[in-house]
Amino acid sequence: MFSERTGYIIWVNDVKSARSLEKYGSIHYISRKMHYVVMYMNSDRADEVVRNIQRLPFVKKIERSYRNEIKTEYERNVPDKTRFYSL
């Protein structure tokens, strides 16, 4: 139902022209101070889209986000000690 999405951090020279990246994927955040764009795109077409984005004159560098590879499910092996510290 949902396609797999991949996040990319795109470092740009000009934030105003970074709005034109919307046609390549969905823009999640644009940092005006640090000049980068966080955007998500479909994983199956990500390689060719990254090649097209790299050719744009205002793009400095593209980094892939590793957020979907980080483990987000935690297990508690240590017993809860908060009840011992209550007043």
Side-chain angles (χ1 to χ4, degrees), residues 62-78:
I62 299 177
E63 298 176 6
R64 189 169 64 88
S65 173
Y66 296 103
R67 183 175 183 197
N68 58 351
E69 298 174 9
I70 296 174
K71 183 180 143 188
T72 57
E73 297 172 2
Y74 305 104
E75 43 187 64
R76 178 180 281 183
N77 292 336
V78 180

Side-chain angles (χ1 to χ4, degrees), residues 3-83:
S3 61
E4 186 70 26
R5 306 282 281 171
T6 305
Y8 283 91
I9 295 93
I10 302 168
W11 297 90
V12 295
N13 293 327
D14 185 23
V15 176
K16 226 174 201 185
S17 56
R19 298 293 298 169
S20 65
L21 292 173
E22 286 183 347
K23 62 183 176 182
Y24 297 106
S26 52
I27 293 178
H28 179 69
Y29 179 73
I30 296 177
S31 172
R32 298 189 187 288
K33 184 177 180 182
M34 295 182 63
H35 296 283
Y36 70 88
V37 177
V38 177
M39 70 181 299
Y40 290 93
M41 59 189 80
N42 292 339
S43 294
D44 54 349
R45 298 188 59 227
D47 293 333
E48 66 183 64
V49 171
V50 168
R51 273 188 259 119
N52 291 337
I53 291 174
Q54 190 68 42
R55 292 181 188 144
L56 296 173
F58 57 89
V59 174
K60 283 196 266 185
K61 183 170 73 169
I62 299 177
E63 298 176 6
R64 189 169 64 88
S65 173
Y66 296 103
R67 183 175 183 197
N68 58 351
E69 298 174 9
I70 296 174
K71 183 180 143 188
T72 57
E73 297 172 2
Y74 305 104
E75 43 187 64
R76 178 180 281 183
N77 292 336
V78 180
D80 188 18
K81 294 182 181 179
T82 57
R83 62 188 173 110

